[in-house]
Amino acid sequence: MPNAAKAIRRLNEAGYFVFFFTNQSGVARGLFTEDDLITLHDWMRAELAAQGAVIDDIRYCPHHPEGSVAGYLENHPWRKPSPGMIHDLMKHWPVRHQGSFVIGDRPTDIEAAQAAALPGFLFAGGDLDAFVADVVAQTSVR
């Protein structure tokens, strides 16, 4: 995605925690394993870090009620649009609720944000850094 590392760096430099949270029903459907997913996340973090961008933490939900892999066949409270992943991150990090926000590329991301009483911004594509700059300007606590 164009300027993703620059967008994350912008947030890092502004003092925001940057979290990545994602539904990953491919685990429940048997398309890949949690180990595969963790390997991908480690690679992604390393690639971003090489560009000076830090993701502070990641949460993922491997569950789906229509999957085929035992142990993952449920509508888990972390599965977006439920706010479980957001709540867990906010429990484990000293996040200030006021001024926080969610950027997502799907309506379920925005629904999860709203369920966590956070503003959500739907990114439809393009320059992520420009989008983030606009969101920060809209949400800055003065």
Side-chain angles (χ1 to χ4, degrees):
M1 162 175 330
N3 289 326
K6 188 175 179 186
I8 293 168
R9 247 188 351 262
R10 174 186 298 278
L11 293 167
N12 297 149
E13 291 167 0
Y16 287 92
F17 290 114
V18 176
F19 304 128
F20 180 68
F21 58 97
T22 177
N23 286 343
Q24 290 296 325
S25 67
V27 174
R29 297 173 193 276
L31 301 175
F32 47 86
T33 67
E34 283 193 76
D35 286 342
D36 295 333
L37 187 58
I38 290 166
T39 298
L40 174 64
H41 289 163
D42 289 346
W43 172 85
M44 181 180 70
R45 287 173 104 168
E47 290 292 310
L48 289 166
Q51 299 178 61
V54 176
I55 293 177
D56 293 295
D57 209 345
I58 295 175
R59 294 291 185 275
Y60 63 91
C61 182
H63 304 278
H64 195 284
E66 297 173 16
S68 59
V69 178
Y72 296 103
L73 308 180
E74 66 176 305
N75 193 14
H76 195 276
W78 277 23
R79 182 162 181 75
K80 292 181 285 182
S82 294
M85 289 184 278
I86 297 170
H87 287 155
D88 189 67
L89 287 160
M90 292 181 89
K91 181 173 87 176
H92 286 94
W93 289 84
V95 174
R96 197 179 71 226
H97 196 272
Q98 185 179 13
S100 294
F101 54 86
V102 171
I103 294 175
D105 63 352
R106 295 183 180 197
T108 53
D109 299 322
I110 307 312
E111 291 172 42
Q114 291 168 342
L118 292 172
F121 297 87
L122 187 61
F123 177 67
D127 184 337
L128 183 58
D129 185 49
F131 187 83
V132 165
D134 184 53
V135 169
V136 167
Q138 290 179 52
T139 60
S140 289
V141 177
R142 303 197 197 295

